[in-house]
Amino acid sequence: MTLTTTSPLVEKTRINSIDLMRGIVMVIMALDHVRDFFHADANVFDPTNLEKTNPVLFFTRWITHFCAPTFVMLSGVAIRISEQRKTKKELSLFLLTRGLWLLVIEAIVMRFSFFFNFYYDFSFLQVIFAIGASMIVLAALVHLPYKVIAAIGIILLLGHNAFDGHRLLPEDAGFVWWTILNQAGFIQIDPQHALIAAYPLLPWLSIMLLGYIVGGMYRSSFDSDARRKYLMITGVSFIALFILLRYYNIYGDPAHWSPQKNFIFSVMSFVNTTKYPVSLVYTLMTIGPVLVILSWMERADLSWLKPLNVFGRVPLFYYILHFYLIHSVSLIAYMITYDKSFAEVDLHFNVSFGGIPFGVGYSLGVVYLVWISIVTFLYPLCVWYNNYKSTHKHWWLSYL
């Protein structure tokens, strides 16, 4: 079935199910970032640490695991769809320039939003880096035959965990590059500067390439009933493979699960898969349900969720704004609550996180209240920007 402006999937040449799914994960993503800045235990212990966490805190963190893989996968889907209106050369150039632009955004715009300083004593390589670097690689790969690209994606997806036991130490040759490519970890550049490569390239590139494969089902020449069927089959297969690999601790995640003190903690152990670096089992656990939901969205009446489409249509705009807003509001709240001024706060990373001293914060209930407030505040701004993008054709709009 050819997608047209009268199809239930399409509105003004956009695919609503993809916008909606992206919008849903963007909203959920904000919950984790609000928790980072507002929760009292955010910088004290990992919320997935079964020895210290509780079920509410654990699943508050766990549900946000779906966000980054979904967003990266849908980026790959969008790239595949865009092949219908761009030549290989045009697409390759766009991916290269947009990828480089995202690296600049990660290094400057996003880094400042985390720390509110330009010391560059400490920096992150996070999801924007992973997307940007993956686009740069894909800028070269798009010139290859589709089957070759698909094969590379599948090999990376299934094979990158084969190197779990090959961990380099800081004194080893190639440590920095291996950490950025596959290992993840802390890179001490010099006594005053450090870097965390939280999103190493190869595992996330495999997820973008997976999206590129799935994107073939969204091309205008692909039948909608067949798309719904294949999305469901693929999603269920991913879930089944996740359960199999995880239950027997066969392969695909360096952190094995084990029975715990009660049923709920055993479930928590089972789904507590590795994100840094993202594992095969983690990918199967998150992408599988997303593909099933995308299949279901093909025929479901989701008009009541239409407002979430707006966030999915302006994801980078929302992503940048929400970090700045969360960080600013948190600093104001802490200065009021703890009677602190900017002059009294050391912004260096080894003393605080973006001006927030370690160990201060609020309850999880406050986190949820702030999360809802942040998303509500951002909605009209995203509506305005979406309307602007829809009615203007400036070249730079495709980069933000």
Side-chain angles (χ1 to χ4, degrees), residues 324-388:
Y324 278 89
L325 182 59
I326 292 170
H327 195 167
S328 299
V329 172
S330 68
L331 285 179
I332 294 171
Y334 286 122
M335 285 191 290
I336 295 173
T337 304
Y338 294 96
D339 193 27
K340 290 282 186 180
S341 69
F342 280 104
E344 297 170 308
V345 175
D346 189 331
L347 300 180
H348 282 73
F349 78 89
N350 60 338
V351 180
S352 66
F353 178 64
I356 301 170
F358 294 156
V360 302
Y362 309 99
S363 69
L364 205 55
V366 172
V367 169
Y368 274 86
L369 180 61
V370 174
W371 168 55
I372 294 171
S373 301
I374 291 290
V375 172
T376 302
F377 181 86
L378 287 174
Y379 179 73
L381 297 177
C382 291
V383 169
W384 167 81
Y385 185 63
N386 178 55
N387 290 338
Y388 185 86

Side-chain angles (χ1 to χ4, degrees), residues 136-154:
I136 292 172
V137 175
L138 195 51
L141 294 182
V142 292
H143 294 285
L144 298 175
Y146 170 74
K147 291 183 178 179
V148 175
I149 300 174
I152 292 172
I154 293 171

Side-chain angles (χ1 to χ4, degrees), residues 310-332:
V310 173
F311 298 119
R313 293 183 176 189
V314 291
L316 185 57
F317 178 82
Y318 169 91
Y319 184 81
I320 294 173
L321 279 188
H322 97 289
F323 261 114
Y324 278 89
L325 182 59
I326 292 170
H327 195 167
S328 299
V329 172
S330 68
L331 285 179
I332 294 171

Side-chain angles (χ1 to χ4, degrees), residues 101-335:
W101 173 235
L102 290 177
L103 297 187
V104 172
I105 289 179
E106 181 76 286
I108 300 176
V109 180
M110 296 314 304
R111 196 261 168 209
F112 185 77
S113 76
F114 302 145
F115 299 104
F116 278 3
N117 68 50
F118 286 115
Y119 300 148
Y120 278 89
D121 48 356
F122 188 61
S123 299
F124 289 127
L125 294 181
Q126 296 206 108
V127 67
I128 298 299
F129 160 80
I131 295 174
S134 295
M135 284 184 171
I136 292 172
V137 175
L138 195 51
L141 294 182
V142 292
H143 294 285
L144 298 175
Y146 170 74
K147 291 183 178 179
V148 175
I149 300 174
I152 292 172
I154 293 171
I155 290 171
L156 286 177
L157 180 67
L158 299 179
H160 72 84
N161 279 111
F163 297 95
D164 286 345
H166 184 64
R167 293 196 62 83
L168 296 182
L169 300 176
E171 61 269 21
D172 293 332
F175 166 78
V176 172
W177 287 109
W178 184 241
T179 300
I180 293 174
L181 285 174
N182 194 64
Q183 181 168 286
F186 187 87
I187 301 172
Q188 189 72 51
I189 301 172
D190 59 41
Q192 287 77 41
H193 300 88
L195 175 72
I196 282 187
Y199 284 67
L201 173 60
L202 294 181
W204 290 99
L205 173 62
S206 74
I207 296 177
M208 180 172 284
L209 293 179
L210 173 64
Y212 185 83
I213 297 170
V214 172
M217 303 180 196
Y218 285 92
R219 293 167 67 88
S220 59
S221 58
F222 205 91
D223 180 73
S224 61
D225 290 332
R227 176 174 56 252
R228 183 173 60 85
K229 174 183 175 182
Y230 290 137
L231 287 172
M232 180 63 69
I233 291 173
T234 306
V236 170
S237 299
F238 273 32
I239 295 171
L241 184 56
F242 156 69
I243 294 173
L244 175 65
L245 293 177
R246 189 61 170 166
Y247 183 80
Y248 292 104
N249 287 322
I250 299 172
Y251 169 80
D253 199 298
H256 292 177
W257 84 282
S258 61
Q260 301 294 309
K261 59 185 179 182
N262 57 41
F263 175 75
I264 187 63
F265 271 80
S266 293
V267 171
M268 289 159 60
S269 177
F270 193 84
V271 299
N272 190 21
T273 53
T274 302
K275 183 179 181 180
Y276 306 108
V278 58
S279 69
L280 168 63
V281 170
Y282 177 100
T283 303
L284 296 172
M285 177 187 74
T286 53
I287 296 298
V290 168
L291 295 177
V292 171
I293 294 171
L294 283 171
S295 173
W296 170 71
M297 283 179 171
E298 292 279 319
R299 292 188 175 180
D301 180 10
L302 301 174
S303 56
W304 59 283
L305 288 176
K306 188 175 180 180
L308 296 181
N309 280 31
V310 173
F311 298 119
R313 293 183 176 189
V314 291
L316 185 57
F317 178 82
Y318 169 91
Y319 184 81
I320 294 173
L321 279 188
H322 97 289
F323 261 114
Y324 278 89
L325 182 59
I326 292 170
H327 195 167
S328 299
V329 172
S330 68
L331 285 179
I332 294 171
Y334 286 122
M335 285 191 290

Side-chain angles (χ1 to χ4, degrees), residues 382-394 396-397:
C382 291
V383 169
W384 167 81
Y385 185 63
N386 178 55
N387 290 338
Y388 185 86
K389 285 189 70 175
S390 301
T391 56
H392 294 76
K393 302 299 181 182
H394 305 305
W396 55 267
L397 288 172

